Amino acid sequence: MNKKKLQETDSEIKETLQNEEDRQEFGLEMIPSENFVSKAVMEAMGSVMTNKYSEGYPGKRYYGGNEFIDVAEKIAIERVKKLFKVAHVNVQPYSGSPANAEVYLALCKPGDTIMGQSLLDGGHLTHGWKTSFSGLFFNSIQYHVKADGYIDIEEARKLALEHKPKLIWIGASAYAREFPFKELAEIADEVGAYLVADIAHIAGLIVAGAHPSASEHVHIITTTTHKTLRGPRGAMIMVTEKGMQKDPDLGKKIDKAVFPGFQGGPHDHTTAAIAVAMKEADTPEFKEYAHQIVKNAKALAQELMDNGLKLVSGGTDTHLILVDLTTIQKGHGVFVQDALEVAGITTNKNTIPQDPSSPFYPSGIRLGTPALTTRNMKEEEMKQIGKWIAAVVKETENYKLPEEKEERKELLKNFRAEIKENAVLKGLREEVREMCKRFPLYK
Ligand SMILES: *Cc1c(COP(=O)(O)O)cnc(C)c1O
């Protein structure tokens, strides 16, 4: 048995972990799907629970030795039930995408009609996008957002009445406004569809009351546990009371779809860490945290607009902001993402609704405040960061994306070399580092 520390057995990886820790500690993490877990969650993740096989469910396992795995899984389930006010919970999905695949497996047959928000309008791949299994195996109908950036409920109703989907998704990855759960529920009920809320991004806001809950409107809820919920990488599927009324077997169907339908052994270290994160989420401090996320996003959005940037839907109700860079040029997202990275600000380029460019060269930048808020940053810091972002965007304004592919590569290569040496960006990198030092993370 090798009891040596990583430092002694593998200095290459040890050093890489150290580098990643420093990157997180001294940079501004603004990808809205990311967050920083507590030391307690990290401890559960890096625990002996990773050694176990436990196919099945508490009390009904295919392997022996699951006494304590059962305890951890039951605690996790009870905590989720209480937090989200739902009837049935499965905490075993490996991540958000598998959780959604398992919902399809529970409810649909290949070729069935399903409906979700288009990827280009902020939806998730697994909600029926053409290159995902969900678009390949099902007859996928996609609804969109209106010119004002809000979900087009009228279009969703029209499509649902016309195509009679068996399953409708509500939820997205790049949508800054409150989700109209009630309105979509009326549509789903009208056509007899299952309504599934994918709250991967906003789960933490929902448990804190910083976003309306989906529980009373939808039949099933899926969520990741590692975004605003601030737990380990993982996911859960919940069945609501409304779902149980529509189909009393729904809980069993979900459990069967997760195992043996789609997965093998659950990741028990993740389950234990989910339990820990749910205990943390059930505190006044977490409520305050989640409300601060939204306050921070609103403050940042206002500052960006005050500095001349255009936002999809003109602002935010949540943790997320989508900047429309077509005011500079179509396909400008890549320039801004890379320049922000030089300044120590991590974001991601993203399509905007009716993007005139392509998903690989999208015209937007997606920003979020969950990770910064975990560091205790508040409105004052958001205003400063908003000014920095606007200054970085300015540095990119003179770069124009050529139409021709080879020319694009060449220009981007030059651009990347030049911004690395850009004095404004280098100066901002130092200011970012100083701000991070004032809001320590793990150090
Ligand atoms: C992040 C996300 C997922 C997928 O989660 P993974 O863990 O990356 O597979 C699913 N749905 C939505 C809406 C998401 O934002």
Side-chain angles (χ1 to χ4, degrees), residues 31-33 118-123 172-175 201 312 320-326 330-337 347-367:
I31 293 173
S33 49
S118 166
L119 178 78
L120 301 179
D121 289 44
S173 307
Y175 186 69
H201 262 261
V312 172
L320 181 148
I321 294 166
L322 198 53
V323 184
D324 175 351
L325 297 165
T326 54
K330 63 176 185 175
H332 198 65
V334 60
F335 295 101
V336 174
Q337 177 187 310
T347 63
N348 68 279
K349 59 183 160 70
N350 212 99
T351 56
I352 55 167
Q354 279 96 47
D355 201 312
S357 187
S358 68
F360 201 71
Y361 291 104
S363 305
I365 277 283
R366 195 180 65 147
L367 303 166

Side-chain angles (χ1 to χ4, degrees), residues 95-98 100 124 126-127 171-173 198 200-201 224 226-227 233:
S95 211
S97 303
N100 290 351
H124 194 259
T126 54
H127 299 179
S173 307
D198 178 349
H201 262 261
T224 57
H226 49 274
K227 298 182 184 175
R233 295 205 91 77

Side-chain angles (χ1 to χ4, degrees), residues 83 204 207-208 229 275-287:
L83 262 180
V207 299
L229 211 45
V276 174
M278 293 308 109
K279 186 168 182 182
E280 291 177 3
D282 198 10
T283 57
E285 291 77 28
F286 190 87
K287 269 208 176 67

